Amino acid sequence: HREMSWQDYVDKQLVGTGHVSKAAIVGLDGTTWAASGGFAVSQAEGKTLAAAFNDPSTAFSSGVHVAGVKYMTIKADNRSLYGKKGPGGCACVKTNQAVLIGVYDETIQPGQCATVVERLGDYLIENNY
């Protein structure tokens, strides 16, 4: 049994499901651990995103910023941040050590994207990530 790399999680567990169009995993310090090709989450965005889980009200006032796109926050708590922009959006889930970011476009149901990201979040939390 080979350990999956962070890139494998992005490619297989998130984007590979067909319910996430682009994804990234960033550390709580904002460092990118893995990301879809051409999907760059800056360290500043990652840090701000990680901090938003500690004070979810900030996400409502300033939105969720991922890879240069600002999403209107539709859900924010200590575990999950969901954002919407036009027909697409994002689902972000905090684990012990990282933030999973899944972005969806108009071909994907928001709930499908959220479910995929939440499930991987559960799995990583169970495994102490």
Side-chain angles (χ1 to χ4, degrees):
H1 171 68
R2 189 178 76 76
E3 263 308 295
M4 282 181 76
S5 73
W6 294 112
Q7 193 62 49
D8 284 341
Y9 283 115
V10 166
D11 296 342
K12 298 176 178 152
Q13 304 289 312
L14 295 171
V15 179
T17 63
H19 298 311
V20 178
S21 45
K22 288 183 257 182
I25 300 173
V26 298
L28 299 181
D29 62 354
T31 313
T32 298
W33 293 4
S36 304
F39 185 63
V41 178
S42 73
Q43 186 159 4
E45 287 174 331
K47 267 180 142 154
T48 302
L49 194 56
F53 291 97
N54 299 325
D55 183 4
S57 65
T58 60
F60 284 108
S61 56
S62 58
V64 180
H65 295 260
V66 178
V69 177
K70 179 180 177 181
Y71 297 90
M72 183 182 79
T73 305
I74 52 175
K75 175 187 174 178
D77 58 36
N78 297 109
R79 175 192 158 95
S80 309
L81 292 175
Y82 295 173
K84 190 100 180 87
K85 181 177 171 74
C90 65
C92 309
V93 173
K94 181 179 180 275
T95 69
N96 302 335
Q97 298 177 26
V99 178
L100 309 179
I101 304 165
V103 171
Y104 59 90
D105 60 25
E106 67 281 351
T107 66
I108 297 167
Q109 291 294 319
Q112 292 175 317
C113 176
T115 299
V116 167
V117 180
E118 294 280 358
R119 272 199 200 124
L120 181 56
D122 286 340
Y123 172 79
L124 292 174
I125 291 165
E126 282 163 23
N127 288 279
N128 298 314
Y129 290 107

